[in-house]
Amino acid sequence: INFCRISLFTKCNLYITITFLLCSNFAYATSVLWLNEKEQSQLAETIVLAKTIKIQPQWNSEHTRIETKISLQAIDSIKGTLKKGDLFSVFQPGGKIADQAHVVAGNSLYKKDSFVLLFLINIDYPKKHFIETGIGVGKKDIQFRNSEMFVLPQPLHGLLLIDKKGNITSPHSI
């Protein structure tokens, strides 16, 4: 391209575009409205302490995206219709099958045989299929130390947290 032959209008647009790209702030792909435990409890149809049994990425019916089915067993039910021993599933977007990966910022990380506290919404009643109350905020990790149980918030990666006024925040400042 001969830069001298480009019109003044095109040059101005090019400079504006380059300036905008170089000076703009980061763009966040996922923004999350942070909910505290009381708000999550009110929103959730089901609150359950559970053990992760199986993590199974699978293609959707159109074979256009990967979703992950997490199979769990209820250890204790705090709210909702699940009972101790019930098997149920949580679905989330993204996952990895062979060399194909769909990554969704903020998805909760599940590990087989780990214990979790979940705030859930039923997506397929009467079947026991659920989603978290929000990306990255509907799951807490449970750890046992010296016969004591600790509820740990999950680290949030790739998320921009905002409060109800639209201000950028962190879970510790709310």
Side-chain angles (χ1 to χ4, degrees):
I1 297 175
N2 185 345
F3 193 72
C4 295
R5 295 186 148 214
I6 297 175
S7 71
L8 181 59
F9 178 77
T10 303
K11 287 179 187 177
C12 288
N13 282 335
L14 184 60
Y15 284 126
I16 291 170
T17 302
I18 290 171
T19 302
F20 177 76
L21 290 173
L22 294 175
C23 298
S24 65
N25 291 327
F26 294 112
Y28 292 93
T30 304
S31 297
V32 174
L33 179 62
W34 182 257
L35 300 174
N36 63 34
E37 283 75 14
K38 181 179 177 182
E39 294 165 324
Q40 286 180 346
S41 298
Q42 293 169 342
L43 178 62
E45 299 167 347
T46 298
I47 304 172
V48 63
L49 176 64
K51 181 179 180 181
T52 305
I53 304 298
K54 186 177 183 182
I55 302 162
Q56 182 179 10
Q58 58 194 22
W59 287 103
N60 67 346
S61 57
E62 295 84 24
H63 203 78
T64 56
R65 68 177 183 272
I66 298 172
E67 55 195 20
T68 299
K69 176 183 178 182
I70 300 104
S71 300
L72 303 111
Q73 184 173 27
I75 304 299
D76 192 10
S77 180
I78 299 166
K79 179 181 178 183
T81 59
L82 290 175
K83 295 176 179 42
K84 182 177 181 175
D86 281 352
L87 298 174
F88 65 99
S89 300
V90 171
F91 289 86
Q92 64 182 17
K96 182 177 181 185
I97 299 174
D99 62 345
Q100 295 285 325
H102 295 176
V103 178
V104 177
N107 263 355
S108 294
L109 303 175
Y110 288 84
K111 294 178 185 170
K112 188 177 185 301
D113 296 325
S114 65
F115 293 90
V116 294
L117 176 64
L118 298 170
F119 297 81
L120 302 171
I121 297 170
N122 194 331
I123 58 169
D124 195 8
Y125 186 82
K127 294 180 182 176
K128 296 172 183 162
H129 296 166
F130 299 88
I131 57 172
E132 295 175 21
T133 54
I135 291 179
V137 297
K139 174 188 171 270
K140 311 285 187 227
D141 292 320
I142 303 291
Q143 289 187 359
F144 294 95
R145 294 184 198 141
N146 302 326
S147 72
E148 292 185 67
M149 182 174 75
F150 294 89
V151 178
L152 306 171
Q154 184 161 324
L156 300 173
H157 303 285
L159 292 179
L160 172 64
L161 295 177
I162 57 172
D163 64 16
K164 291 180 179 73
K165 296 178 183 175
N167 300 313
I168 297 172
T169 189
S170 74
H172 307 293
S173 64
I174 297 180

